[in-house]
Amino acid sequence: MAKGFYISKNMGLAGLLMGAVAVVIIIALAAVYDKEKTKNQNKPVDGVAMLTTASPTTSSTLSTPKDPWEHYRLPDSLSPVSYNITLWPRLVVNASTGLYIFTGQSAVVFQCKKDTDLIVIHCNKLNLTLLNGHHARLTGLDGATAPTVKTSWLQVKTEYLVIQLNGKLTAGKSYRLSTDFQGELADDLKGFYRSEYTEDGGKKVVATSQMQATFARKAFPCFDEPAMKAVFHITLIHQRGTVALSNGRDTVNSTIDGTEVTMTRFEPTKRMSTYLLAFIVSDFDHITGSIENNNVLVRIWARRKAIAEGHGNYALNVTGPMLNFFERYYNASYPLSKSDQIALPDFNAGAMENWGLITYRETALLYDPAISSVGNKERVLTVVAHELAHMWFGNLVTLRWWNDLWLNEGFASYVEYLGADYAEPTWNIKEQTILNDVHKVFAVDALASSHPLSRKEEEVNQPDEISEMFNTISYSKGAAVLRMLSEFLTEPVFARGLSYINQRTHCECSYSILTRGLTAVLTTPGMSLPHTVHDIMNRWILQMGFPVVTIDTATGHITQKHFLLDPDSVVDRPSPYNYTWLVPIKWMKGGVEREQHWLLQETGISNATGSEWVLANLNVSGYYRVNYDMDNWERLLNQLTTDHTVIPLINRAQIVDDAFNLARAKVINTTLALRTTRYLSQERDYIPWESALRNLNYYILMFDRGQAYGVLQGYLKMQITPLFEYFRTITVDWTRVPTGHNDQYNQINAISFACRMGVERCRVLTSDWFREWMLNPDHNPIHPNLKTTVYCNAIAAGGVAEWDFAWQMFKNATVATEAAKLRSSLACTKVPWLLNRTTSSCVLLKKRSGFLKQFKEDNARVGFGSGTLALEQAIERTTANIKWVAENQEPVMKWLANECT
Ligand SMILES: *[C@@H]1O[C@H](CO)[C@@H](O)[C@H](O)[C@H]1NC(C)=O
Ligand SMILES: *[C@@H]1O[C@H](CO)[C@@H](O)[C@H](O)[C@H]1NC(C)=O
Ligand SMILES: *[C@@H]1O[C@H](CO)[C@@H](O)[C@H](O)[C@H]1NC(C)=O
Ligand SMILES: *[C@@H]1O[C@H](CO)[C@@H](O)[C@H](O)[C@H]1NC(C)=O
Ligand SMILES: *[C@@H]1O[C@H](CO)[C@@H](O)[C@H](O)[C@H]1NC(C)=O
Ligand SMILES: *[C@@H]1O[C@H](CO)[C@@H](O)[C@H](O)[C@H]1NC(C)=O
Ligand SMILES: *[C@@H]1O[C@H](CO)[C@@H](O)[C@H](O)[C@H]1NC(C)=O
Ligand SMILES: *[C@@H]1O[C@H](CO)[C@@H](O)[C@H](O)[C@H]1NC(C)=O
Ligand SMILES: [Zn+2]
């Protein structure tokens, strides 16, 4: 995501052009109908679609069940060594069952660790062929005698095949368990599944897989836990003319006499976890590259047409440099002999880091310069960086259990910026972490209902509890906290700790490997910290939330307090550290950086007093908010209006975001928050503007149609106009697109916000562009970056003709992203009966696209429990909003009225 956020970037503001009614419709459309968008926003990246709210997990087991097969965790008596798997997916409907199916054989060699007469192995939705009357055949290896099978059955609830034996397996001996099975190649996006698409007018079927977190058991019987690593010998049988891919390189293709099939065998994998396996059969095409100074094979796979049109080229261009970068960063060469990346028409998450065969949603891997926006391109870059980062950390070094998922995902979400920055050094992409991760997760982590990064192993058992771990806290707080660690240790020291960890490839670790690794490195002279890395990090990892640090520049006193967005909320989750943190404080005074300070108990920084402004949390490298005494706020505001460039870019975004959130939490006066936006008339950079717009959106939504709206709009129009004019100038009267990456985003913001605030030149600009297109439908003059906002504004300002044209173009659109932009713009109309048409047209479309099934699936995944929670949160939020408007309308209006005169 990476990661699914680009949509909000481009569409967030456009969306707000609409009145409350349209907003409701759009929310409904986005949630229910728009499969593509929902998926994108849900996540980033790997494996499991991400939950966007933090929901508490309740432990699944009230009383401890008696029998091993009733536990969701495998017993520790058996340990897999290797598997030999042959799978044969059929890409046409099976005549007897009416289903798409696959058949398979699997044999797992395992070692017995403790004497036992029981075999418990994962198996879900597979029809096993009976072998001598039982579900599996057991053989002793190296002279061991296998006991006979007493009875075997499938334990559906816990997803096991259970085999009771007539005698005991002996510790230290090895055995082989063989199964034959048939499964459905369903379109459920889980395990071994099918993806369909149309090309050259015909339907095509791809067999592909998604194992994370607990779906490998739906492809073949296996010990399906991340620590149960083994070597996999994989063979795929497939129709001639199709190509088979898996984690390793293919070594043998053979044809089977008398049939239309080919058998492709792959090199044995490295020792790896089941959740990282991948099997794909398709008729896709590919392009090839390689890594510099290395004979690793690099390929990008996609639909034939997409490859022919060059849509894989950008991903291929950036993969080589990024792999080179990560090899240096981890100080370890790429662990495999090849790197395949494939774009799939149907894919649940954003992408999945299968070792050596990464799977992506098409929008996360394919890039078409003719129609893709700057956000589309950035998404490809960051998702590829994220997944490649996992090829070492996550895949080579794997966390023992899902409770530590945050380390795997937080880590990849942090280093993706480093890899992306290496591949696109002019984009300044690292700056965006503050918007995409820090501010985003602050919003969730400031609630009393948040939860710590790490959970206890025994709290995470069932598949549902595992998928709940794929949330904003794991990804974004994980990234923010690791970035803080890297910043206070310095990047070279952090990277040395990583290479230490990478040498321990055979440990199935918990998160303490990180602190141990860094402690080992920190014995190097010259590096001193007030506490061990372990002590510092535990406070950020084992307790939820984050502090607000308050600096009183009159006395030099500095204190911390758990920051809660709602000051009346009650925290009922106890913390072993009583909600205090060891806070690294990088700060500056009067524009000069001072020595880092560590805060635990209230202390003083004597140098923080005086008449010059003090600014703390430089570049927001720490995961906390900052407040000051009123005099220092005044000095900072004064500096912003006199020369804002003296304050670092990221801190300008921080000052605004901290102030608005401190005001929400009633720590500071609302008018003080508004005053941080005064300097924006001089601001030209994207990051501070985006930060401000996100916060102002709340005010706009809250005061929409209220008495304060007029003055609010007047003030914001005054603030945005200079930015709009600035872009008019640097684009030579809108004839070109700015060259800077972030400038391109900011141009989108400038146009959408200026139009929304009623800047007349903006209305004329967007309407003229749209009309030009209407006169010549074969030639769209609107740059891909600006389509969303221009369509929406032109339709909002226009009438039936504009709406009808967009409707025609929507029906004619052959490219999914273009269709999505047109569809969302239809709801921007201000003509009430057209708005009705928008909804009813969409209802018709819904039926066609089988959205109901998707809706059900999405909800099944989120679960009844968290659905209820989300509803409760929504009600709570609405109540809070009404209260907020009642309390703030008067002072806000007064302040604005004053500014506008
Ligand atoms: C895997 O099984 C097939 C037959 O099912 C056999 O031919 C092959 O040798 C086995 N490979 C390994 C590595 O055990
Ligand atoms: C598995 O067996 C059940 C019960 O006989 C049957 O309904 C189902 O279609 C079978 N599935 C496959 C994929 O063969
Ligand atoms: C197997 O066949 C595929 C597709 O025809 C080809 O690309 C690949 O090089 C072959 N592999 C071997 C080891 O012959
Ligand atoms: C990929 O790199 C080549 C060679 O540098 C360049 O010509 C091409 O424009 C790049 N393609 C994309 C989509 O960035
Ligand atoms: C925890 O903090 C609260 C208030 O911040 C304080 O009253 C209490 O004594 C602290 N408890 C411990 C065990 O430190
Ligand atoms: C504090 O100020 C004194 C003199 O004013 C200076 O010598 C010292 O280096 C400063 N310390 C820090 C941490 O900036
Ligand atoms: C906020 O500040 C303004 C002027 O600075 C003042 O008039 C108002 O009373 C303050 N409101 C609160 C709630 O402190
Ligand atoms: C839509 O496509 C049809 C058939 O390709 C074409 O006749 C029609 O002119 C197109 N409409 C527009 C508005 O481009
Ligand atoms: Zn990931």
Side-chain angles (χ1 to χ4, degrees):
M1 74 178 143
K3 328 171 197 190
F5 309 140
Y6 77 103
I7 288 240
S8 43
K9 214 170 268 163
N10 295 339
M11 300 194 19
L13 286 168
L16 284 155
L17 275 153
M18 299 163 285
V21 178
V23 169
V24 170
I25 292 166
I26 284 300
I27 288 169
L29 289 178
V32 180
Y33 165 61
D34 194 342
K35 180 170 152 188
E36 187 63 26
K37 188 174 160 194
T38 317
K39 283 178 173 179
N40 275 330
Q41 285 182 328
N42 273 355
K43 189 14 175 196
V45 180
D46 336 294
V48 184
M50 189 170 75
L51 299 172
T52 45
T53 53
S55 49
T57 304
T58 45
S59 186
S60 48
T61 43
L62 293 174
S63 57
T64 310
K66 215 165 105 248
D67 293 312
W69 52 83
E70 289 175 41
H71 286 268
Y72 281 92
R73 293 295 297 274
L74 289 168
D76 58 3
S77 45
L78 308 177
S79 170
V81 176
S82 68
Y83 291 78
N84 184 358
I85 309 157
T86 302
L87 294 173
W88 184 358
R90 315 299 156 87
L91 304 186
V92 289
V93 173
N94 177 274
S96 68
T97 59
L99 303 171
Y100 286 86
I101 63 151
F102 64 94
T103 52
Q105 283 118 42
S106 172
V108 52
V109 173
F110 61 85
Q111 199 181 40
C112 179
K113 297 286 185 194
K114 291 179 183 165
D115 288 7
T116 179
D117 59 2
L118 187 70
I119 298 173
V120 178
I121 184 168
H122 285 109
C123 180
N124 184 23
K125 295 187 176 153
L126 295 174
N127 288 352
L128 294 168
T129 309
L130 296 183
L131 307 166
N132 298 329
H134 295 293
H135 291 93
R137 186 170 42 228
L138 184 68
T139 323
L141 298 178
D142 304 326
T145 333
T148 53
V149 176
K150 184 168 150 195
T151 176
S152 64
W153 72 93
L154 292 163
Q155 186 76 20
V156 174
K157 182 158 180 262
T158 42
E159 304 178 349
Y160 288 134
L161 164 62
V162 186
I163 301 167
Q164 277 184 323
L165 303 170
N166 284 313
K168 289 208 176 227
L169 301 169
T170 314
K173 302 278 189 204
S174 295
Y175 304 86
R176 181 192 298 121
L177 185 76
S178 309
T179 49
D180 280 13
F181 50 88
Q182 178 165 319
E184 187 187 349
L185 204 60
D187 59 354
D188 59 355
L189 312 173
K190 294 179 185 126
F192 203 19
Y193 72 92
R194 78 174 192 280
S195 165
E196 296 175 358
Y197 64 101
T198 39
E199 197 169 70
D200 304 329
K203 182 167 103 169
K204 294 200 170 174
V205 178
V206 178
T208 182
S209 64
Q210 168 60 41
M211 306 309 192
Q212 195 184 32
T214 56
F215 308 127
R217 62 191 70 167
K218 200 170 152 279
F220 63 102
C222 56
F223 296 96
D224 198 10
E225 293 190 357
M228 295 279 190
K229 288 188 172 184
V231 171
F232 295 83
H233 301 261
I234 296 161
T235 304
L236 291 174
I237 299 175
H238 54 105
Q239 226 174 352
R240 280 190 209 145
T242 60
V243 49
L245 297 171
S246 186
N247 303 78
R249 251 180 156 141
D250 59 329
T251 52
V252 185
N253 294 333
S254 48
T255 47
I256 302 177
D257 286 344
T259 65
E260 284 294 302
V261 294
T262 301
M263 197 160 80
T264 299
R265 187 165 296 165
F266 300 90
E267 63 182 355
T269 65
K270 282 204 157 24
R271 202 170 154 272
M272 65 182 282
S273 305
T274 46
Y275 83 88
L276 293 169
L277 289 169
F279 316 122
I280 301 177
V281 172
S282 71
D283 84 334
F284 282 7
D285 200 355
H286 70 281
I287 46 177
T288 308
S290 63
I291 315 183
E292 203 182 312
N293 309 324
N294 200 321
N295 60 359
V296 174
L297 176 68
V298 175
R299 294 182 295 194
I300 306 289
W301 297 83
R303 289 178 287 104
R304 295 185 162 272
K305 192 156 171 279
I307 291 293
E309 290 174 355
H311 299 175
N313 296 357
Y314 182 63
L316 187 67
N317 277 6
V318 295
T319 296
M322 284 202 257
L323 287 174
N324 277 142
F325 169 80
F326 286 128
E327 288 190 325
R328 277 198 302 277
Y329 186 71
Y330 293 111
N331 192 21
S333 40
Y334 178 73
L336 307 175
S337 65
K338 62 108 170 165
S339 160
D340 278 324
Q341 298 177 86
I342 186 165
L344 294 161
D346 292 306
F347 191 69
N348 197 19
M352 175 64 212
E353 72 266 24
N354 312 304
W355 217 8
L357 176 51
I358 307 172
T359 43
Y360 293 84
R361 183 180 294 205
E362 290 194 336
T363 50
L365 189 69
L366 303 182
Y367 169 72
D368 177 356
I371 60 149
S372 308
S373 69
V374 59
N376 300 145
K377 190 173 188 180
E378 182 182 303
R379 178 163 167 81
V380 172
L381 180 75
T382 53
V383 179
V384 169
H386 180 104
E387 303 308 327
L388 293 178
H390 277 307
M391 298 298 111
W392 288 260
F393 197 89
N395 297 7
L396 189 61
V397 182
T398 309
L399 278 321
R400 185 174 49 193
W401 186 243
W402 300 108
N403 63 310
D404 274 329
L405 180 82
W406 76 270
L407 184 52
N408 190 10
E409 289 309 342
F411 191 82
S413 302
Y414 167 57
V415 300
E416 74 181 52
Y417 288 101
L418 310 186
D421 181 56
Y422 181 79
E424 293 287 3
T426 62
W427 288 13
N428 293 332
I429 199 155
K430 289 188 197 171
E431 289 168 1
Q432 290 196 36
T433 186
I434 186 183
L435 299 172
N436 299 343
D437 293 310
V438 183
H439 287 176
K440 177 162 169 259
V441 72
F442 269 172
V444 177
D445 208 18
L447 303 178
S449 60
S450 187
H451 63 79
L453 270 174
S454 188
R455 299 207 176 168
K456 292 207 177 74
E457 188 167 336
E458 57 275 18
E459 283 176 0
V460 181
N461 291 299
Q462 300 184 26
D464 279 359
E465 294 167 341
I466 294 169
S467 45
E468 268 188 32
M469 299 302 295
F470 290 79
N471 59 39
T472 317
I473 296 282
S474 295
Y475 280 79
S476 292
K477 183 174 181 178
V481 161
L482 291 170
R483 175 169 168 266
M484 173 168 71
L485 175 63
S486 176
E487 291 280 339
F488 75 69
L489 288 176
T490 72
E491 201 172 292
V493 173
F494 185 72
R496 276 217 304 286
L498 288 177
S499 76
Y500 170 92
I501 294 167
N502 273 320
Q503 287 149 25
R504 273 134 197 88
T505 51
H506 292 298
C507 92
E508 280 84 31
C509 331
S510 64
Y511 96 84
S512 67
I513 187 183
L514 177 74
T515 52
R516 267 188 283 131
L518 289 164
T519 307
V521 168
L522 285 173
T523 52
T524 46
M527 194 64 218
S528 76
L529 291 173
H531 298 267
T532 64
V533 174
H534 191 73
D535 286 348
I536 297 168
M537 294 311 288
N538 273 351
R539 288 173 181 263
W540 299 95
I541 291 161
L542 303 179
Q543 63 185 347
M544 68 175 191
F546 58 90
V548 50
V549 167
T550 303
I551 299 177
D552 183 342
T553 63
T555 59
H557 267 114
I558 169 165
T559 53
Q560 62 166 294
K561 186 168 188 286
H562 184 187
F563 179 76
L564 290 166
L565 200 51
D566 175 0
D568 302 328
S569 57
V570 178
V571 175
D572 48 20
R573 184 192 288 270
S575 158
Y577 304 103
N578 202 10
Y579 294 105
T580 55
W581 289 263
L582 274 159
V583 190
I585 301 183
K586 288 189 203 279
W587 62 290
M588 61 167 40
K589 188 168 113 177
V592 181
E593 186 167 353
R594 306 300 170 110
E595 192 177 301
Q596 174 166 285
H597 181 85
W598 283 89
L599 173 66
L600 177 59
Q601 260 96 41
E602 173 171 347
T603 52
I605 312 182
S606 56
N607 288 27
T609 57
S611 59
E612 287 174 295
W613 53 263
V614 165
L615 177 72
N617 202 5
L618 285 188
N619 291 325
V620 192
S621 58
Y623 184 68
Y624 57 92
R625 293 198 182 279
V626 189
N627 187 19
Y628 307 94
D629 59 296
M630 200 54 212
D631 285 345
N632 195 59
W633 275 115
E634 294 291 351
R635 288 192 284 264
L636 284 170
L637 292 177
N638 189 43
Q639 184 61 59
L640 283 174
T641 41
T642 48
D643 179 7
H644 63 276
T645 59
V646 178
I647 295 179
L649 173 77
I650 293 179
N651 289 98
R652 305 204 293 272
Q654 169 219 20
I655 288 171
V656 174
D657 195 66
D658 279 354
F660 273 85
N661 283 278
L662 290 167
R664 285 278 293 283
K666 301 209 174 87
V667 178
I668 64 168
N669 197 323
T670 299
T671 55
L672 174 56
L674 281 170
R675 288 173 68 199
T676 64
T677 65
R678 216 185 211 158
Y679 94 100
L680 288 173
S681 54
Q682 294 151 48
E683 181 62 84
R684 301 290 174 261
D685 272 300
Y686 166 67
I687 308 280
W689 259 111
E690 176 68 19
S691 171
L693 291 179
R694 288 182 189 181
N695 284 294
L696 288 166
N697 277 336
Y698 182 77
Y699 282 58
I700 293 167
L701 281 177
M702 288 304 112
F703 293 130
D704 187 29
R705 282 145 207 254
Q707 350 162 6
Y709 193 73
V711 272
L712 180 62
Q713 194 186 29
Y715 169 68
L716 294 175
K717 183 174 170 182
M718 193 168 83
Q719 298 303 82
I720 193 71
T721 301
L723 189 70
F724 179 80
E725 289 302 322
Y726 167 76
F727 278 105
R728 188 176 65 79
T729 309
I730 70 166
T731 59
V732 194
D733 221 1
W734 309 110
T735 54
R736 53 186 75 153
V737 159
T739 46
H741 181 72
N742 284 343
D743 283 345
Q744 292 190 37
Y745 283 133
N746 213 21
Q747 182 194 23
I748 302 168
N749 277 350
I751 292 178
S752 33
F753 201 66
C755 279
R756 186 170 169 213
M757 291 301 115
V759 174
E760 177 60 13
R761 295 177 82 149
C762 185
R763 190 193 60 74
V764 172
L765 173 73
T766 53
S767 298
D768 282 357
W769 260 332
F770 199 76
R771 202 151 310 134
E772 207 181 308
W773 186 29
M774 285 171 73
L775 291 173
N776 187 359
D778 295 333
H779 180 76
N780 186 341
I782 304 159
H783 189 275
N785 284 352
L786 303 176
K787 280 180 174 173
T788 303
T789 184
V790 171
Y791 294 174
C792 185
N793 282 296
I795 286 169
V800 182
E802 282 78 8
W803 195 92
D804 269 338
F805 177 75
W807 174 242
Q808 291 306 322
M809 297 314 280
F810 167 60
K811 287 197 296 189
N812 265 18
T814 52
V815 180
T817 52
E818 179 69 12
K821 287 169 184 174
L822 284 161
R823 191 184 55 235
S824 72
S825 73
L826 291 172
C828 297
T829 182
K830 300 250 170 74
V831 183
W833 61 270
L834 280 177
L835 208 50
N836 286 339
R837 226 162 88 181
T838 307
T839 23
S840 53
S841 313
C842 288
V843 169
L844 284 174
L845 282 165
K846 278 190 242 176
K847 287 193 181 132
R848 242 198 289 153
S849 67
F851 89 107
L852 276 173
K853 200 168 110 225
Q854 185 62 35
F855 180 64
K856 231 168 72 188
E857 275 172 14
D858 287 352
N859 281 290
R861 199 167 52 241
V862 171
F864 183 68
S866 26
T868 314
L869 187 79
L871 188 65
E872 282 168 5
Q873 283 178 347
I875 294 168
E876 199 182 311
R877 230 174 288 138
T878 308
T879 319
N881 288 344
I882 292 169
K883 221 172 103 195
W884 186 88
V885 171
E887 284 170 7
N888 289 287
Q889 180 138 309
E890 275 305 309
V892 168
M893 259 175 80
K894 241 161 89 190
W895 185 82
L896 289 169
N898 205 29
E899 286 300 304
C900 292
T901 51

